[in-house]
Amino acid sequence: KNHPVFCRRKWFQGLPIKGVGVEDIAWFQPDGTEMTEEHWNQDFAKSLAVFLNGQGIRSVGPKGEQITDDSFYIIFNAYEGALDYKLPSDKYGDEWIKVLDTHENYIEEDGERYAADEMVKVQGRSVVLLKQP
């Protein structure tokens, strides 16, 4: 399936989406807290997660219609060892489904499920992609 959230014509603005209450994009540390400007200069910035809001696509379709998609949480672990990542609070989603894990060569539309604030183990030098059901 093509996902418009990954094929944007305009870059993210980091602004709240009207009626949704969360930004179009948000960056997280492995402990589940949002990253600040200072965090980008610290070592663990190599291992982070990003929330992509499917309701936050600011482009419109060919007939002027609003484009929406699933929301995704992408975890990047550039560290050599496995790390535990805490998923963000339910503000960003109550539940997540693992759809890709590069360490396991895993691609599944309806995989393992996780709740908000739950821990996810991500192997070294790999990416895990979660989506909201």
Side-chain angles (χ1 to χ4, degrees):
K1 174 180 174 183
N2 290 330
H3 285 282
V5 77
F6 297 115
C7 306
R8 304 172 73 92
R9 285 184 268 163
K10 297 180 180 175
W11 190 243
F12 299 95
Q13 298 179 359
L15 298 172
I17 307 305
K18 186 175 180 180
V20 177
V22 295
E23 302 81 9
D24 57 354
I25 188 170
W27 300 89
F28 293 86
Q29 300 176 80
D31 68 3
T33 59
E34 282 195 62
M35 291 182 71
T36 63
E37 200 63 40
E38 313 74 83
H39 293 133
W40 288 101
N41 297 321
Q42 297 178 4
D43 287 345
F44 66 78
K46 297 176 195 155
S47 299
L48 51 84
V50 61
F51 168 77
L52 301 179
N53 189 337
Q55 304 298 309
I57 302 169
R58 298 188 185 273
S59 304
V60 294
K63 297 177 182 170
E65 72 276 14
Q66 181 180 0
I67 298 172
T68 61
D69 194 5
D70 298 310
S71 292
F72 289 89
Y73 195 73
I74 311 166
I75 304 172
F76 300 93
N77 182 6
Y79 180 65
E80 62 190 35
L83 291 175
D84 289 323
Y85 284 77
K86 184 177 181 185
L87 294 176
S89 71
D90 57 5
K91 172 183 172 182
Y92 293 92
D94 294 332
E95 188 177 25
W96 296 95
I97 301 170
K98 181 164 80 169
V99 294
L100 180 136
D101 185 332
T102 61
H103 178 76
E104 299 174 3
N105 285 335
Y106 174 91
I107 299 175
E108 182 66 48
E109 276 296 312
D110 195 21
E112 192 174 349
R113 291 178 179 254
Y114 298 92
D117 293 314
E118 193 170 338
M119 300 300 284
V120 176
K121 183 175 283 303
V122 180
Q123 295 302 315
R125 303 198 197 316
S126 63
V127 175
V128 169
L129 176 67
L130 305 168
K131 82 171 184 177
Q132 286 182 355

